[in-house]
Amino acid sequence: MAKLIVRVAEQTQFVELRDTNTIGRHADNAIRVFDRLVSKHHAEIVRRDDGRYVIRDLGSRNGLVFNGQRTFEHVFDHGDVVDMGGVKLEFVATPDSEVTLSHVTVDVLGGDSVVRQSIEPDTERVFLPAAERTDDKELIADYERLRLRHEIDIATRDVWNTDELLPLVLRRVFQLVAADNGVVFRYDAEGKLVAGYVERRHGKGEGPVRVSRTILAEVERTRQALLCQDVTIDDRFAGRESIVAQGIRSVLAVPLVHGGEMLGVIHMDSRTAANAFSNRDLEILVSIAGQTAQALHTARLVRRLEDEAHTRAQFQRLLSPNLVEQLVTGRLKLERGGELRDATILFADIRGFTAMSEAMSPVAVVHLLNEYFELMVDVLFQHDGTLDKYIGDCVMALFGAPIAMPNGPLQAVRCAWHMQQALRELNETRLQDGLPAIHVGIGVNTGPVVAGAMGSSRTLQYTAVGDAVNVASRLCSIAGAFEVLISEATYARIENAVDVLALPPVQVKGKAQPMRVYCVQRVDGVADERDDTTGPAL
């Protein structure tokens, strides 16, 4: 298991690496990045048989750079950063977890806690200048506290996953405190303390690790560190025979608190010795707990960023950037099911695609479609449209769903108009390269639809259904090359912004009466100036 941190300008993306991962600008990459210096298919990251990951250049124009030197191939070590155009790729190795949480049992004790007091360590000690120190022991203690904080800070600086953080911290504690068992508790989604990681000193502690609910409850209630040097004689736990029956002799329990928020508890115990822990052990653990709480807080923020990045990755291919941002920030919710929306639907379909594809190799067909789709979707997102789906060589798009768009009909027609203009520019390049031109017909209709996330429990897709969708599809099917046909319902909402040519009523499938159809001639007073080499005029 490993991760890649992808930094583009001020945006950061966290990616779980698979065995094979391609990177580039094109939508079919496992990791898609938007940077003009990055090639469509720039590089790949592959997991070797020995478990290490290697990044290889795929013949890109700007290549890969490691430590200032261009490289064709680089085997990643933890923390390595490879530059790819204007993108930085940082590799993060993630070791397998050794957590054995099934060995942790928290005893549920009835009644109120009988703990009457807790030991609160001096966590606010002032660090005096060395010249003012008269006690060498105090000076050494201060140095030790600073050393511990520094080492924990270094160890956790680049760790953002709690599954990695908790083992790292607990193992460090075992190097400093003579405990038999250690458990880090954290809160689950329901706000209950649960074991996040358990560690046992080698050769000790047969059987399950049993933790007293009484002790955890006291630390939760007071948010103070608890030191029990011998629970068999500690009057704070008088009457709690179950604690003694568990074999617990000495306990250290310290809260994980950051910014006034309780994040968890570190619990250490000794089963073999009374007075196993000292006040110094308590201070050490409190110091480590402070660092751990801060690291947990940071890990949670990083997790939130990862979730946002995952949401962006899911929807950035379907929605315009502003809608993706609303989804990520929670202002827009896509729930399963549907809701009634007034929307404008656009279909864009390649004319004569079947005949064209018969004369091309499968690879050439795929390349043509990818080039065409990328162009169409770029224009679509510029007009705040939503990509509903690809249907063979057809693009279906929505305006007014998933969020209301009062000017949706005009935005849809503008989008269709600019799609045709962008296609004209693409065809000029294709003809120069000896490739056939792409001719597209577009149909646009406005009306009520049911829009929402639909599908199975495993796979959901945001889409729209209804008669208005069917009408838009029918208009697209009768549109000629480079034509934008709109329905009467759409024209009635935008007649002051477009010039149209009224066509004879047409009979479309599913409609009893012929439909009035309009061919767009101008949008916002601008006509299409197309020459004869790229297709007929609108």
Side-chain angles (χ1 to χ4, degrees):
M1 182 71 69
K3 291 184 180 181
L4 195 69
I5 304 174
V6 183
R7 295 187 174 92
V8 185
E10 297 181 355
Q11 296 185 347
T12 301
Q13 181 181 359
F14 299 84
V15 180
E16 293 276 1
L17 290 178
R18 308 170 186 170
D19 289 343
T20 301
N21 315 263
T22 58
I23 311 176
R25 284 190 296 107
H26 203 279
D28 62 2
N29 288 285
I31 306 172
R32 190 183 187 188
V33 293
F34 298 92
D35 183 89
R36 62 184 182 84
L37 299 179
V38 173
S39 299
K40 291 183 178 179
H41 300 90
H42 198 108
E44 67 174 0
I45 298 177
V46 178
R47 188 177 187 269
R48 305 192 311 189
D49 291 340
D50 61 2
R52 301 188 69 184
Y53 285 83
V54 58
I55 184 170
R56 298 189 182 97
D57 187 10
L58 294 179
S60 64
R61 181 174 60 183
N62 293 307
L64 304 171
V65 177
F66 178 69
N67 285 342
Q69 299 294 322
R70 182 161 181 168
T71 179
F72 172 77
E73 180 176 300
H74 175 74
V75 180
F76 277 119
D77 288 319
H78 176 72
D80 281 355
V81 177
V82 171
D83 292 310
M84 188 180 74
V87 180
K88 290 189 178 296
L89 308 174
E90 181 176 349
F91 179 78
V92 179
T94 307
D96 293 334
S97 175
E98 298 178 8
V99 179
T100 55
L101 301 182
S102 60
H103 291 166
V104 179
T105 300
V106 179
D107 283 348
V108 179
L109 304 178
D112 296 330
S113 171
V114 298
V115 179
R116 294 192 296 271
Q117 61 181 356
S118 298
I119 296 176
E120 184 175 5
D122 180 12
T123 57
E124 303 298 330
R125 180 183 298 174
V126 176
F127 288 89
L128 298 175
E132 299 180 20
R133 283 292 190 188
T134 58
D135 188 336
D136 289 343
K137 291 183 179 180
E138 288 293 319
L139 191 60
I140 292 173
D142 284 345
Y143 168 80
E144 184 71 1
R145 294 174 68 201
L146 291 174
R147 182 184 68 81
L148 289 170
R149 283 183 173 272
H150 174 70
E151 290 188 3
I152 291 292
D153 179 64
I154 294 298
T156 60
R157 182 173 297 170
D158 295 324
V159 179
W160 302 290
N161 189 316
T162 55
D163 292 337
E164 302 172 50
L165 176 65
L166 300 185
L168 186 153
V169 170
L170 206 51
R171 289 166 187 167
R172 181 59 181 154
V173 173
F174 267 87
Q175 295 176 14
L176 301 167
V177 176
D180 293 330
N181 303 296
V183 183
V184 181
F185 290 89
R186 56 183 176 181
Y187 289 97
D188 63 10
E190 298 178 356
K192 297 179 180 179
L193 274 181
V194 296
Y197 186 77
V198 58
E199 184 82 7
R200 314 181 76 159
R201 188 172 295 279
H202 180 68
K204 295 186 178 182
E206 295 291 336
V209 177
R210 304 182 69 87
V211 177
S212 168
R213 176 71 70 185
T214 303
I215 292 175
L216 287 181
E218 178 64 11
V219 175
E220 266 195 299
R221 184 181 67 81
T222 64
R223 296 193 177 187
Q224 295 178 2
L226 178 68
L227 168 60
C228 297
Q229 294 180 330
D230 189 346
V231 297
T232 63
I233 62 173
D234 194 323
D235 62 0
R236 289 176 298 166
F237 302 102
R240 296 296 180 180
E241 290 84 0
S242 57
I243 297 178
V244 180
Q246 294 166 20
I248 301 173
R249 297 297 302 276
S250 301
V251 172
L252 278 175
V254 177
L256 299 172
V257 180
H258 178 80
E261 181 182 6
M262 184 81 169
L263 302 177
V265 176
I266 299 179
H267 182 283
M268 312 295 296
D269 72 61
S270 170
R271 307 299 172 102
T272 58
N275 300 313
F277 306 130
S278 65
N279 285 333
R280 176 183 175 278
D281 293 327
L282 185 63
E283 287 198 0
I284 288 174
L285 193 57
V286 168
S287 179
I288 292 177
Q291 296 293 97
T292 304
Q294 183 174 357
L296 284 173
H297 176 73
T298 302
R300 187 166 60 180
L301 293 179
V302 171
R303 178 60 182 173
R304 186 181 303 167
L305 290 175
E306 288 179 328
D307 290 342
E308 290 181 1
H310 180 66
T311 302
R312 284 191 175 91
Q314 282 186 311
F315 291 103
Q316 66 185 358
R317 301 181 184 183
L318 302 178
L319 305 175
S320 59
N322 69 315
L323 293 183
V324 172
E325 189 61 30
Q326 292 187 54
L327 275 169
V328 170
T329 57
R331 288 177 290 165
L332 175 62
K333 300 289 186 182
L334 294 186
E335 304 294 345
R336 185 177 180 182
E339 58 181 346
L340 190 63
R341 288 276 187 182
D342 185 71
T344 299
I345 305 94
L346 178 153
F347 281 86
D349 190 32
I350 298 177
R351 304 284 82 124
F353 177 74
T354 301
M356 182 188 303
S357 61
E358 288 176 349
M360 302 169 63
S361 69
V363 174
V365 172
V366 171
H367 179 75
L368 179 148
L369 286 176
N370 284 336
E371 188 175 38
Y372 162 68
F373 286 144
E374 186 163 4
L375 180 67
M376 295 294 99
V377 173
D378 282 345
V379 176
L380 174 66
F381 286 173
Q382 289 171 15
H383 292 81
D384 295 329
T386 298
L387 175 63
D388 186 293
K389 63 174 69 73
Y390 302 113
I391 311 171
D393 58 304
C394 178
V395 175
M396 174 182 170
L398 305 174
F399 295 81
I403 62 172
M405 185 181 292
N407 64 338
L410 182 56
Q411 282 290 81
V413 174
R414 283 172 174 164
C415 177
W417 187 258
H418 290 119
M419 281 179 170
Q420 298 287 27
Q421 291 181 329
L423 193 61
R424 179 192 63 182
E425 297 174 2
L426 174 63
N427 281 337
E428 291 175 354
T429 301
R430 290 182 60 84
L431 292 173
Q432 291 174 5
D433 294 337
L435 299 173
I438 301 173
H439 298 162
V440 171
I442 300 178
V444 179
N445 181 45
T446 303
V449 299
V450 176
M454 304 179 191
S456 70
S457 59
R458 292 172 178 248
T459 304
L460 291 176
Q461 179 182 13
Y462 189 87
T463 189
V465 295
D467 183 64
V469 177
N470 299 332
V471 170
S473 177
R474 302 290 185 264
L475 290 177
C476 178
S477 66
I478 64 175
F482 289 95
E483 285 187 338
V484 176
L485 299 187
I486 64 176
S487 66
E488 187 172 18
T490 300
Y491 177 60
R493 303 194 190 193
I494 63 171
E495 57 183 334
N496 294 328
V498 299
D499 292 336
V500 299
L501 174 64
L503 302 180
V506 296
Q507 187 72 49
V508 298
K509 183 178 179 181
K511 292 293 183 182
Q513 300 297 325
M515 286 183 54
R516 299 185 65 180
V517 179
Y518 303 87
C519 183
V520 178
Q521 303 294 295
R522 289 179 177 81
V523 177
D524 298 325
V526 179
D528 191 20
E529 299 178 358
R530 180 179 290 105
D531 58 40
D532 293 336
T533 63
T534 57
L538 295 178

